[in-house]
Every structure is written in C-alpha cells, then in structure tokens.
Amino acid sequence: MNETQKTTGTEVIVPSQAEKIKYWTSLMPRIGFGLMLIGIIMSACFVHDFKDTNLGLMVGFGFIIGGIQVLLLGSLFHALQPKFAKEQQAMPAGQQPERI
C-alpha cells in the first residue's frame, strides 16, 4: 500500500512563529488574572484571623502579588510582540539576522 496518500480532511496546519508568540503572550495576562482571583478568594476566606501567622491569608496575599506580576509581564510581552514580528517579516527570505 502507498503510505503517502492523504485522507480527506486531515491537512496539518502548522502555526507560524508569530502566531505561537501571540498565543502565549495573550495567555499570560489571563493566567495572571486567574491567580489574582484565587488570591482574593483565599484572602476573603481567611480574613477572620488577620495575623501574619495565618497561613491561608498569607498564601492568598502571595497569589495576589504573583498574579499581578504575571499579569504585568504578560502585558509587557504582549505589547512588545508586534515589534519582534515586524522585524522578522521585514527581512528578505535568504538573509540571516545579524548576531552581536
């Protein structure tokens, strides 16, 4: 049998590098927002005993702070992504980028 035959409807679409970057950079702010939401819920559940020895409250604060950092980094990566994609598209096909 010939193994090179394709069955209908099984085309493999490979995303470009710019599409991959766009997917991951748009996912990071969502993850950051989710972490902040988990932190707010945890902090609200453990706020009855407001001390530094309350582990649940401190973990909730950690989720809020970590979520803010992931959200900001994801937004920064998303903002810088079009600049990198434009630089790659501007180069001719056979030319390699210069290395420093």
Side-chain angles (χ1 to χ4, degrees), residues 16-75:
S16 68
Q17 187 68 23
E19 289 172 342
K20 289 179 187 177
I21 292 171
K22 185 177 180 182
Y23 171 75
W24 287 109
T25 56
S26 67
L27 188 64
M28 283 185 69
R30 294 178 194 168
I31 292 172
F33 184 72
L35 290 174
M36 281 179 29
L37 191 62
I38 290 170
I40 291 169
I41 291 170
M42 281 189 70
S43 297
C45 290
F46 291 101
V47 77
H48 60 85
D49 187 25
F50 198 80
K51 292 189 226 174
D52 61 348
T53 57
N54 186 351
L55 183 63
L57 185 65
M58 294 299 117
V59 170
F61 287 164
F63 269 102
I64 293 171
I65 293 169
I68 290 171
Q69 290 179 352
V70 171
L71 180 72
L72 290 175
L73 283 175
S75 298

Side-chain angles (χ1 to χ4, degrees), residues 80-98:
L80 293 177
Q81 186 267 332
K83 181 180 177 183
F84 295 133
K86 287 179 186 174
E87 287 176 1
Q88 288 178 354
Q89 290 174 357
M91 275 188 201
Q95 184 180 2
Q96 294 293 328
E98 293 181 17

Side-chain angles (χ1 to χ4, degrees), residues 1-5:
M1 302 251 305
N2 190 359
E3 293 183 19
T4 60
Q5 292 179 345

